[in-house]
Amino acid sequence: MKLIWLQSGGCGGCTLSWLGYAHGPLLEVLAEVGIELVWHPSLSAASCDEALALLEACARGAKPFDILCVEGALLRGPWLDQLPSGNFHRFGGGESMLDWVLRLAMRARHVVAIGSCAAFGGITAAGGNPTDAAGLQHDGEIGGGVLGPYFRDPTGLPVINVSGCPPHPDWITETLALLAQGRLTPESLDEFGRPRFFAERLVHHGCPRNEYYEFKAGAEHFGQQGCLMENLGCKGTQAHADCNLRLWNGEGSCLRGGFPCIRCTEPEFEEPGHPFHTTPKVAGIPIGLPADMPKAWFVALAALSKSATPPRVKENATAERLRRAPSVKRTKK
Amino acid sequence: MTRRIVGPFNRVEGDLEVTLEIEGGRVAAAFVNAPLYRGFEQILEGKAPLDALVFVPRICGICSVAQSAAAARALADAAGIAPPSNGRLAANLTLAIENLADHLTHFYLFFMPDFAAAEYAGASWYAEVSAQFGAQSGQAGRQALAARARFMQAMGLLAGKWPHTLAVQPGGTTRPLAESELFRLQRIVREFRAFLEARLFGSPLETIAGLDGQTALERWRRQDRAGDLRFFLELADRLDLWSLGQSGARFLSVGAYDEEGGKCLFAPGTWYEGRVLPFDPSQVREDLSHARYASAQTAQRPEEERTVPLYDKPGAYSWCKAPRLGGEICETGALARQLVDGQPLVGDIVGRRGAGVGARVLARLLEFARVVPALQRWLDAFDPEGAWCTAAPLAENCLGKGFVEAARGALGHWLTVHQGRIGGYQIIAPTTWNFSPRAADGRPGALEQALVGLPVPEQGRVPAVVHHVVRSFDPCMVCTVH
């Protein structure tokens, strides 16, 4: 399948994350599943007029291609005469990137949003959203985006949202591979258009700090080993992604790196309504509860587990390294 | 006179166009346009100060740690604290690994593929360039991509993930390392060193770092013919990349990698025609006369500046602002770092052949040889029982500034906290210096000067020399315009 990749109002971090793909040489892995990069801004030889001519032929339908990947939010502003000008991002001396994306999306067999900016608007849409940034098919949580809520590709798929800021290189590669193999159906996607293979897990799953979570033994400052949910704003129990099962850059994840999950695969993660590194609480109980957890039960269990916290767990939670190891039990007396 | 809009340039980070005025087959004037605006400085206003650490890495996917580190320094400056030794070492490692990975990406994936352009098809070296450095297909490029992916695994350990880590904090880093993990990191750095010594240099790093002038470089080149550096030097001689693309600007470095006792691995300062002077941050101003923003009458100190986009401003042609140091245009990057630090090979080459494309690329490659041994030294210096991260309580009203050397050069963040919230946030990125538009005095920025005089036809294909000059700066346009 022939693939075109464009970057709009993002940071290029999705591409850079992708280049860290660890399960084999990326370019060979793509070739194996039959993906050919027609144009990619970081990897292609064609530049300037040559690149424009190539993209123009694709946009006119003269040169068929299959997959359009878009990285970065679509910038609709500034508005001129009550119309979105797209002038915050012009590409190749003339048209806005918004127009390029709209024209190419109509010719593509599949449209893939790479990263939370292209999917939902992402970080570029934060604050007062100065550029009127939106995703391809979502404007935050709301369906729509620049392609509209009813967009479907010729095979019946909506925009495929490989969200994340950035997305894990496996999420991108595996989504493209499934697409190239014809294995991605509307049922493969969740209600935000995210492939279920990574979005039907929670970041909390596989978190190495789970014992601290069980006993509500929270870290109080960065660098400490305890659970980051109680005091430091971690949203791992509410974020859909398999970051702690799949791991990043060999053996990392945000939680393994000692900092809280900011829910970067979710629409509108950029505006949590409170400072990122703090946990909003009412009467000492965090207000953002784990997905699917009834509040009364959470409060009851938290109170119970807190009173049962082993001294070892309590002490280690606020230390930068293990102070007390689990006791060794001998079975032979 | 003919005007040509040249772009979009690919294999640069972000979006770039250049308008060339051509007279008699040569560039008479160049106008550099960064055609993207996202508004990070506006977005940050009103946020909690530490939220800057979530937002600023996302200015840039290729140098997100550099943005993070500059913000952490600005916050530390505002809080009046400094990280403990372990935190300083971990921050050095995290930033240095990103910078080296950027140098690798630049050389193998962005810069060298231009020599496989069709116009060089008749050259004796063309077949080898295409086989080794052709975009996507080149063997050297593929090997470098694999080496880079393995090297970046160090970021999984040091920083949780890359890009967009939150590990770098004002008071240190959030990821204490155990001794067994330090061992794993040493393994990764050793593998990277082996790649560089086998593929890039064909020599031990110490040999390269020890070359003290052009004579020593020539003697080393004659020893045998292995290594991509030798191949680059041959191209640089044949195509005279040494005199190509000189900016005539001053060179600025804010100093890289904190060592014990307040020293830097690479010293800060400015360099102009062989003279090194101290860097004085109070001399920095941003001029908006040709940038698409509402502007004050005079150039502003970053502490006082507001960012208000104005797309249709008359006379404006870029979203890039025009930073100046004491009114002067500066070039920043690996070449500036090495010149200011007094590295003898780079000083000698620039003295004899000028500060052009060749010197920029050579200085970048030389940093592999100078920084990788430092990585190994820093890994040995951790104190397993020492502290990693101290708290950074901020006053309701305060200000701070933070400077780091990103791969592409000087990066500065200026932060004002007003009633517990960010009142103002200004960022000057390396490419903002290098790809600056004209200021009120009409003098062009560094790239704008470096392009003048290049042979460009009024129609038809843009010659490869334009690409060599543009990419020799390793531009990062997303940082430039943020």
Side-chain angles (χ1 to χ4, degrees), chain B residues 47-69:
Chain B
K47 301 284 184 208
L50 286 171
D51 280 1
L53 294 169
V54 173
F55 286 96
V56 301
R58 291 171 165 85
I59 288 170
C60 182
I62 199 163
C63 42
S64 64
V65 167
Q67 294 287 352
S68 205

mmCIF file with all atom_site columns, all heavy atoms in Angstrom, chain B residues 47-69:
data_model
loop_
_atom_site.group_PDB
_atom_site.id
_atom_site.type_symbol
_atom_site.label_atom_id
_atom_site.label_alt_id
_atom_site.label_comp_id
_atom_site.label_asym_id
_atom_site.label_entity_id
_atom_site.label_seq_id
_atom_site.pdbx_PDB_ins_code
_atom_site.Cartn_x
_atom_site.Cartn_y
_atom_site.Cartn_z
_atom_site.occupancy
_atom_site.B_iso_or_equiv
_atom_site.pdbx_formal_charge
_atom_site.auth_seq_id
_atom_site.auth_comp_id
_atom_site.auth_asym_id
_atom_site.auth_atom_id
_atom_site.pdbx_PDB_model_num
ATOM 1   N N   . LYS B 1 47 ? -1.415 29.449 33.077 1.00 0.00 ? 47 LYS B N   1
ATOM 2   C CA  . LYS B 1 47 ? -1.271 28.078 33.593 1.00 0.00 ? 47 LYS B CA  1
ATOM 3   C C   . LYS B 1 47 ? -0.502 28.091 34.913 1.00 0.00 ? 47 LYS B C   1
ATOM 4   O O   . LYS B 1 47 ? 0.224  29.042 35.223 1.00 0.00 ? 47 LYS B O   1
ATOM 5   C CB  . LYS B 1 47 ? -0.487 27.218 32.592 1.00 0.00 ? 47 LYS B CB  1
ATOM 6   C CG  . LYS B 1 47 ? -1.109 27.125 31.224 1.00 0.00 ? 47 LYS B CG  1
ATOM 7   C CD  . LYS B 1 47 ? -2.289 26.185 31.240 1.00 0.00 ? 47 LYS B CD  1
ATOM 8   C CE  . LYS B 1 47 ? -2.872 26.008 29.854 1.00 0.00 ? 47 LYS B CE  1
ATOM 9   N NZ  . LYS B 1 47 ? -4.307 25.686 29.914 1.00 0.00 ? 47 LYS B NZ  1
ATOM 10  N N   . ALA B 1 48 ? -0.600 26.979 35.671 1.00 0.00 ? 48 ALA B N   1
ATOM 11  C CA  . ALA B 1 48 ? 0.249  26.802 36.854 1.00 0.00 ? 48 ALA B CA  1
ATOM 12  C C   . ALA B 1 48 ? 1.699  26.703 36.375 1.00 0.00 ? 48 ALA B C   1
ATOM 13  O O   . ALA B 1 48 ? 1.961  26.063 35.351 1.00 0.00 ? 48 ALA B O   1
ATOM 14  C CB  . ALA B 1 48 ? -0.150 25.541 37.603 1.00 0.00 ? 48 ALA B CB  1
ATOM 15  N N   . PRO B 1 49 ? 2.648  27.326 37.072 1.00 0.00 ? 49 PRO B N   1
ATOM 16  C CA  . PRO B 1 49 ? 4.030  27.367 36.560 1.00 0.00 ? 49 PRO B CA  1
ATOM 17  C C   . PRO B 1 49 ? 4.620  26.000 36.202 1.00 0.00 ? 49 PRO B C   1
ATOM 18  O O   . PRO B 1 49 ? 5.239  25.852 35.150 1.00 0.00 ? 49 PRO B O   1
ATOM 19  C CB  . PRO B 1 49 ? 4.806  28.029 37.695 1.00 0.00 ? 49 PRO B CB  1
ATOM 20  C CG  . PRO B 1 49 ? 3.797  28.879 38.390 1.00 0.00 ? 49 PRO B CG  1
ATOM 21  C CD  . PRO B 1 49 ? 2.486  28.143 38.298 1.00 0.00 ? 49 PRO B CD  1
ATOM 22  N N   . LEU B 1 50 ? 4.388  24.974 37.055 1.00 0.00 ? 50 LEU B N   1
ATOM 23  C CA  . LEU B 1 50 ? 4.986  23.668 36.757 1.00 0.00 ? 50 LEU B CA  1
ATOM 24  C C   . LEU B 1 50 ? 4.339  22.978 35.551 1.00 0.00 ? 50 LEU B C   1
ATOM 25  O O   . LEU B 1 50 ? 4.903  22.046 34.985 1.00 0.00 ? 50 LEU B O   1
ATOM 26  C CB  . LEU B 1 50 ? 4.936  22.757 37.990 1.00 0.00 ? 50 LEU B CB  1
ATOM 27  C CG  . LEU B 1 50 ? 5.948  23.115 39.086 1.00 0.00 ? 50 LEU B CG  1
ATOM 28  C CD1 . LEU B 1 50 ? 5.686  22.301 40.347 1.00 0.00 ? 50 LEU B CD1 1
ATOM 29  C CD2 . LEU B 1 50 ? 7.385  22.896 38.618 1.00 0.00 ? 50 LEU B CD2 1
ATOM 30  N N   . ASP B 1 51 ? 3.151  23.450 35.139 1.00 0.00 ? 51 ASP B N   1
ATOM 31  C CA  . ASP B 1 51 ? 2.532  22.905 33.926 1.00 0.00 ? 51 ASP B CA  1
ATOM 32  C C   . ASP B 1 51 ? 3.379  23.182 32.690 1.00 0.00 ? 51 ASP B C   1
ATOM 33  O O   . ASP B 1 51 ? 3.230  22.507 31.662 1.00 0.00 ? 51 ASP B O   1
ATOM 34  C CB  . ASP B 1 51 ? 1.127  23.478 33.709 1.00 0.00 ? 51 ASP B CB  1
ATOM 35  C CG  . ASP B 1 51 ? 0.086  22.784 34.574 1.00 0.00 ? 51 ASP B CG  1
ATOM 36  O OD1 . ASP B 1 51 ? 0.465  21.883 35.341 1.00 0.00 ? 51 ASP B OD1 1
ATOM 37  O OD2 . ASP B 1 51 ? -1.101 23.146 34.482 1.00 0.00 ? 51 ASP B OD2 1
ATOM 38  N N   . ALA B 1 52 ? 4.259  24.186 32.795 1.00 0.00 ? 52 ALA B N   1
ATOM 39  C CA  . ALA B 1 52 ? 5.163  24.444 31.665 1.00 0.00 ? 52 ALA B CA  1
ATOM 40  C C   . ALA B 1 52 ? 5.908  23.172 31.280 1.00 0.00 ? 52 ALA B C   1
ATOM 41  O O   . ALA B 1 52 ? 6.203  22.941 30.108 1.00 0.00 ? 52 ALA B O   1
ATOM 42  C CB  . ALA B 1 52 ? 6.161  25.548 32.018 1.00 0.00 ? 52 ALA B CB  1
ATOM 43  N N   . LEU B 1 53 ? 6.186  22.317 32.274 1.00 0.00 ? 53 LEU B N   1
ATOM 44  C CA  . LEU B 1 53 ? 6.941  21.090 31.993 1.00 0.00 ? 53 LEU B CA  1
ATOM 45  C C   . LEU B 1 53 ? 6.137  20.099 31.156 1.00 0.00 ? 53 LEU B C   1
ATOM 46  O O   . LEU B 1 53 ? 6.706  19.222 30.508 1.00 0.00 ? 53 LEU B O   1
ATOM 47  C CB  . LEU B 1 53 ? 7.395  20.435 33.294 1.00 0.00 ? 53 LEU B CB  1
ATOM 48  C CG  . LEU B 1 53 ? 8.414  21.255 34.092 1.00 0.00 ? 53 LEU B CG  1
ATOM 49  C CD1 . LEU B 1 53 ? 8.605  20.660 35.477 1.00 0.00 ? 53 LEU B CD1 1
ATOM 50  C CD2 . LEU B 1 53 ? 9.742  21.321 33.348 1.00 0.00 ? 53 LEU B CD2 1
ATOM 51  N N   . VAL B 1 54 ? 4.805  20.215 31.171 1.00 0.00 ? 54 VAL B N   1
ATOM 52  C CA  . VAL B 1 54 ? 3.971  19.381 30.307 1.00 0.00 ? 54 VAL B CA  1
ATOM 53  C C   . VAL B 1 54 ? 3.918  19.985 28.901 1.00 0.00 ? 54 VAL B C   1
ATOM 54  O O   . VAL B 1 54 ? 4.000  19.267 27.906 1.00 0.00 ? 54 VAL B O   1
ATOM 55  C CB  . VAL B 1 54 ? 2.538  19.254 30.866 1.00 0.00 ? 54 VAL B CB  1
ATOM 56  C CG1 . VAL B 1 54 ? 1.631  18.523 29.876 1.00 0.00 ? 54 VAL B CG1 1
ATOM 57  C CG2 . VAL B 1 54 ? 2.551  18.533 32.206 1.00 0.00 ? 54 VAL B CG2 1
ATOM 58  N N   . PHE B 1 55 ? 3.818  21.305 28.835 1.00 0.00 ? 55 PHE B N   1
ATOM 59  C CA  . PHE B 1 55 ? 3.598  21.939 27.530 1.00 0.00 ? 55 PHE B CA  1
ATOM 60  C C   . PHE B 1 55 ? 4.880  22.064 26.699 1.00 0.00 ? 55 PHE B C   1
ATOM 61  O O   . PHE B 1 55 ? 4.889  21.708 25.524 1.00 0.00 ? 55 PHE B O   1
ATOM 62  C CB  . PHE B 1 55 ? 2.945  23.319 27.716 1.00 0.00 ? 55 PHE B CB  1
ATOM 63  C CG  . PHE B 1 55 ? 1.499  23.212 28.094 1.00 0.00 ? 55 PHE B CG  1
ATOM 64  C CD1 . PHE B 1 55 ? 1.104  23.283 29.420 1.00 0.00 ? 55 PHE B CD1 1
ATOM 65  C CD2 . PHE B 1 55 ? 0.529  22.993 27.130 1.00 0.00 ? 55 PHE B CD2 1
ATOM 66  C CE1 . PHE B 1 55 ? -0.236 23.149 29.777 1.00 0.00 ? 55 PHE B CE1 1
ATOM 67  C CE2 . PHE B 1 55 ? -0.812 22.858 27.476 1.00 0.00 ? 55 PHE B CE2 1
ATOM 68  C CZ  . PHE B 1 55 ? -1.192 22.934 28.797 1.00 0.00 ? 55 PHE B CZ  1
ATOM 69  N N   . VAL B 1 56 ? 5.954  22.597 27.311 1.00 0.00 ? 56 VAL B N   1
ATOM 70  C CA  . VAL B 1 56 ? 7.092  22.973 26.462 1.00 0.00 ? 56 VAL B CA  1
ATOM 71  C C   . VAL B 1 56 ? 7.786  21.816 25.736 1.00 0.00 ? 56 VAL B C   1
ATOM 72  O O   . VAL B 1 56 ? 8.254  22.028 24.615 1.00 0.00 ? 56 VAL B O   1
ATOM 73  C CB  . VAL B 1 56 ? 8.135  23.845 27.206 1.00 0.00 ? 56 VAL B CB  1
ATOM 74  C CG1 . VAL B 1 56 ? 7.503  25.118 27.715 1.00 0.00 ? 56 VAL B CG1 1
ATOM 75  C CG2 . VAL B 1 56 ? 8.823  23.081 28.311 1.00 0.00 ? 56 VAL B CG2 1
ATOM 76  N N   . PRO B 1 57 ? 7.858  20.588 26.299 1.00 0.00 ? 57 PRO B N   1
ATOM 77  C CA  . PRO B 1 57 ? 8.471  19.533 25.478 1.00 0.00 ? 57 PRO B CA  1
ATOM 78  C C   . PRO B 1 57 ? 7.712  19.345 24.165 1.00 0.00 ? 57 PRO B C   1
ATOM 79  O O   . PRO B 1 57 ? 8.297  18.988 23.145 1.00 0.00 ? 57 PRO B O   1
ATOM 80  C CB  . PRO B 1 57 ? 8.370  18.277 26.336 1.00 0.00 ? 57 PRO B CB  1
ATOM 81  C CG  . PRO B 1 57 ? 8.004  18.713 27.693 1.00 0.00 ? 57 PRO B CG  1
ATOM 82  C CD  . PRO B 1 57 ? 7.436  20.085 27.606 1.00 0.00 ? 57 PRO B CD  1
ATOM 83  N N   . ARG B 1 58 ? 6.428  19.628 24.207 1.00 0.00 ? 58 ARG B N   1
ATOM 84  C CA  . ARG B 1 58 ? 5.570  19.382 23.036 1.00 0.00 ? 58 ARG B CA  1
ATOM 85  C C   . ARG B 1 58 ? 5.686  20.485 21.991 1.00 0.00 ? 58 ARG B C   1
ATOM 86  O O   . ARG B 1 58 ? 5.008  20.458 20.975 1.00 0.00 ? 58 ARG B O   1
ATOM 87  C CB  . ARG B 1 58 ? 4.137  19.153 23.505 1.00 0.00 ? 58 ARG B CB  1
ATOM 88  C CG  . ARG B 1 58 ? 4.060  17.832 24.256 1.00 0.00 ? 58 ARG B CG  1
ATOM 89  C CD  . ARG B 1 58 ? 2.755  17.563 24.967 1.00 0.00 ? 58 ARG B CD  1
ATOM 90  N NE  . ARG B 1 58 ? 2.679  16.152 25.344 1.00 0.00 ? 58 ARG B NE  1
ATOM 91  C CZ  . ARG B 1 58 ? 3.198  15.627 26.469 1.00 0.00 ? 58 ARG B CZ  1
ATOM 92  N NH1 . ARG B 1 58 ? 3.789  16.410 27.348 1.00 0.00 ? 58 ARG B NH1 1
ATOM 93  N NH2 . ARG B 1 58 ? 3.118  14.342 26.707 1.00 0.00 ? 58 ARG B NH2 1
ATOM 94  N N   . ILE B 1 59 ? 6.556  21.468 22.254 1.00 0.00 ? 59 ILE B N   1
ATOM 95  C CA  . ILE B 1 59 ? 6.928  22.400 21.193 1.00 0.00 ? 59 ILE B CA  1
ATOM 96  C C   . ILE B 1 59 ? 7.626  21.618 20.094 1.00 0.00 ? 59 ILE B C   1
ATOM 97  O O   . ILE B 1 59 ? 7.479  21.911 18.918 1.00 0.00 ? 59 ILE B O   1
ATOM 98  C CB  . ILE B 1 59 ? 7.865  23.497 21.762 1.00 0.00 ? 59 ILE B CB  1
ATOM 99  C CG1 . ILE B 1 59 ? 7.054  24.438 22.647 1.00 0.00 ? 59 ILE B CG1 1
ATOM 100 C CG2 . ILE B 1 59 ? 8.581  24.251 20.645 1.00 0.00 ? 59 ILE B CG2 1
ATOM 101 C CD1 . ILE B 1 59 ? 7.904  25.403 23.449 1.00 0.00 ? 59 ILE B CD1 1
ATOM 102 N N   . CYS B 1 60 ? 8.378  20.599 20.494 1.00 0.00 ? 60 CYS B N   1
ATOM 103 C CA  . CYS B 1 60 ? 9.255  19.949 19.530 1.00 0.00 ? 60 CYS B CA  1
ATOM 104 C C   . CYS B 1 60 ? 9.449  18.473 19.809 1.00 0.00 ? 60 CYS B C   1
ATOM 105 O O   . CYS B 1 60 ? 9.810  18.094 20.920 1.00 0.00 ? 60 CYS B O   1
ATOM 106 C CB  . CYS B 1 60 ? 10.618 20.612 19.545 1.00 0.00 ? 60 CYS B CB  1
ATOM 107 S SG  . CYS B 1 60 ? 11.701 19.875 18.330 1.00 0.00 ? 60 CYS B SG  1
ATOM 108 N N   . GLY B 1 61 ? 9.253  17.657 18.798 1.00 0.00 ? 61 GLY B N   1
ATOM 109 C CA  . GLY B 1 61 ? 9.430  16.220 18.967 1.00 0.00 ? 61 GLY B CA  1
ATOM 110 C C   . GLY B 1 61 ? 10.862 15.763 18.820 1.00 0.00 ? 61 GLY B C   1
ATOM 111 O O   . GLY B 1 61 ? 11.217 14.679 19.261 1.00 0.00 ? 61 GLY B O   1
ATOM 112 N N   . ILE B 1 62 ? 11.721 16.592 18.228 1.00 0.00 ? 62 ILE B N   1
ATOM 113 C CA  . ILE B 1 62 ? 13.090 16.124 17.983 1.00 0.00 ? 62 ILE B CA  1
ATOM 114 C C   . ILE B 1 62 ? 14.010 16.584 19.104 1.00 0.00 ? 62 ILE B C   1
ATOM 115 O O   . ILE B 1 62 ? 15.006 15.941 19.395 1.00 0.00 ? 62 ILE B O   1
ATOM 116 C CB  . ILE B 1 62 ? 13.593 16.565 16.581 1.00 0.00 ? 62 ILE B CB  1
ATOM 117 C CG1 . ILE B 1 62 ? 14.785 15.730 16.127 1.00 0.00 ? 62 ILE B CG1 1
ATOM 118 C CG2 . ILE B 1 62 ? 13.927 18.042 16.527 1.00 0.00 ? 62 ILE B CG2 1
ATOM 119 C CD1 . ILE B 1 62 ? 15.090 15.811 14.643 1.00 0.00 ? 62 ILE B CD1 1
ATOM 120 N N   . CYS B 1 63 ? 13.671 17.693 19.764 1.00 0.00 ? 63 CYS B N   1
ATOM 121 C CA  . CYS B 1 63 ? 14.501 18.155 20.889 1.00 0.00 ? 63 CYS B CA  1
ATOM 122 C C   . CYS B 1 63 ? 13.624 18.508 22.085 1.00 0.00 ? 63 CYS B C   1
ATOM 123 O O   . CYS B 1 63 ? 13.781 19.559 22.700 1.00 0.00 ? 63 CYS B O   1
ATOM 124 C CB  . CYS B 1 63 ? 15.414 19.293 20.487 1.00 0.00 ? 63 CYS B CB  1
ATOM 125 S SG  . CYS B 1 63 ? 14.665 20.533 19.433 1.00 0.00 ? 63 CYS B SG  1
ATOM 126 N N   . SER B 1 64 ? 12.712 17.597 22.428 1.00 0.00 ? 64 SER B N   1
ATOM 127 C CA  . SER B 1 64 ? 11.764 17.850 23.521 1.00 0.00 ? 64 SER B CA  1
ATOM 128 C C   . SER B 1 64 ? 12.461 17.940 24.869 1.00 0.00 ? 64 SER B C   1
ATOM 129 O O   . SER B 1 64 ? 12.058 18.716 25.729 1.00 0.00 ? 64 SER B O   1
ATOM 130 C CB  . SER B 1 64 ? 10.699 16.756 23.550 1.00 0.00 ? 64 SER B CB  1
ATOM 131 O OG  . SER B 1 64 ? 11.263 15.501 23.847 1.00 0.00 ? 64 SER B OG  1
ATOM 132 N N   . VAL B 1 65 ? 13.536 17.171 25.061 1.00 0.00 ? 65 VAL B N   1
ATOM 133 C CA  . VAL B 1 65 ? 14.253 17.223 26.339 1.00 0.00 ? 65 VAL B CA  1
ATOM 134 C C   . VAL B 1 65 ? 14.925 18.584 26.507 1.00 0.00 ? 65 VAL B C   1
ATOM 135 O O   . VAL B 1 65 ? 14.957 19.144 27.604 1.00 0.00 ? 65 VAL B O   1
ATOM 136 C CB  . VAL B 1 65 ? 15.286 16.082 26.447 1.00 0.00 ? 65 VAL B CB  1
ATOM 137 C CG1 . VAL B 1 65 ? 16.229 16.312 27.615 1.00 0.00 ? 65 VAL B CG1 1
ATOM 138 C CG2 . VAL B 1 65 ? 14.574 14.742 26.604 1.00 0.00 ? 65 VAL B CG2 1
ATOM 139 N N   . ALA B 1 66 ? 15.448 19.130 25.417 1.00 0.00 ? 66 ALA B N   1
ATOM 140 C CA  . ALA B 1 66 ? 16.087 20.447 25.503 1.00 0.00 ? 66 ALA B CA  1
ATOM 141 C C   . ALA B 1 66 ? 15.075 21.493 25.970 1.00 0.00 ? 66 ALA B C   1
ATOM 142 O O   . ALA B 1 66 ? 15.371 22.323 26.842 1.00 0.00 ? 66 ALA B O   1
ATOM 143 C CB  . ALA B 1 66 ? 16.672 20.840 24.144 1.00 0.00 ? 66 ALA B CB  1
ATOM 144 N N   . GLN B 1 67 ? 13.858 21.448 25.415 1.00 0.00 ? 67 GLN B N   1
ATOM 145 C CA  . GLN B 1 67 ? 12.816 22.390 25.841 1.00 0.00 ? 67 GLN B CA  1
ATOM 146 C C   . GLN B 1 67 ? 12.488 22.168 27.319 1.00 0.00 ? 67 GLN B C   1
ATOM 147 O O   . GLN B 1 67 ? 12.343 23.106 28.095 1.00 0.00 ? 67 GLN B O   1
ATOM 148 C CB  . GLN B 1 67 ? 11.554 22.212 24.988 1.00 0.00 ? 67 GLN B CB  1
ATOM 149 C CG  . GLN B 1 67 ? 11.729 22.577 23.517 1.00 0.00 ? 67 GLN B CG  1
ATOM 150 C CD  . GLN B 1 67 ? 11.836 24.078 23.277 1.00 0.00 ? 67 GLN B CD  1
ATOM 151 O OE1 . GLN B 1 67 ? 11.644 24.892 24.179 1.00 0.00 ? 67 GLN B OE1 1
ATOM 152 N NE2 . GLN B 1 67 ? 12.156 24.458 22.043 1.00 0.00 ? 67 GLN B NE2 1
ATOM 153 N N   . SER B 1 68 ? 12.357 20.901 27.672 1.00 0.00 ? 68 SER B N   1
ATOM 154 C CA  . SER B 1 68 ? 12.066 20.524 29.044 1.00 0.00 ? 68 SER B CA  1
ATOM 155 C C   . SER B 1 68 ? 13.156 21.030 29.990 1.00 0.00 ? 68 SER B C   1
ATOM 156 O O   . SER B 1 68 ? 12.879 21.592 31.056 1.00 0.00 ? 68 SER B O   1
ATOM 157 C CB  . SER B 1 68 ? 12.058 19.003 29.045 1.00 0.00 ? 68 SER B CB  1
ATOM 158 O OG  . SER B 1 68 ? 11.316 18.480 30.024 1.00 0.00 ? 68 SER B OG  1
ATOM 159 N N   . ALA B 1 69 ? 14.411 20.851 29.602 1.00 0.00 ? 69 ALA B N   1
ATOM 160 C CA  . ALA B 1 69 ? 15.542 21.239 30.446 1.00 0.00 ? 69 ALA B CA  1
ATOM 161 C C   . ALA B 1 69 ? 15.604 22.759 30.614 1.00 0.00 ? 69 ALA B C   1
ATOM 162 O O   . ALA B 1 69 ? 15.898 23.258 31.695 1.00 0.00 ? 69 ALA B O   1
ATOM 163 C CB  . ALA B 1 69 ? 16.845 20.715 29.844 1.00 0.00 ? 69 ALA B CB  1
#
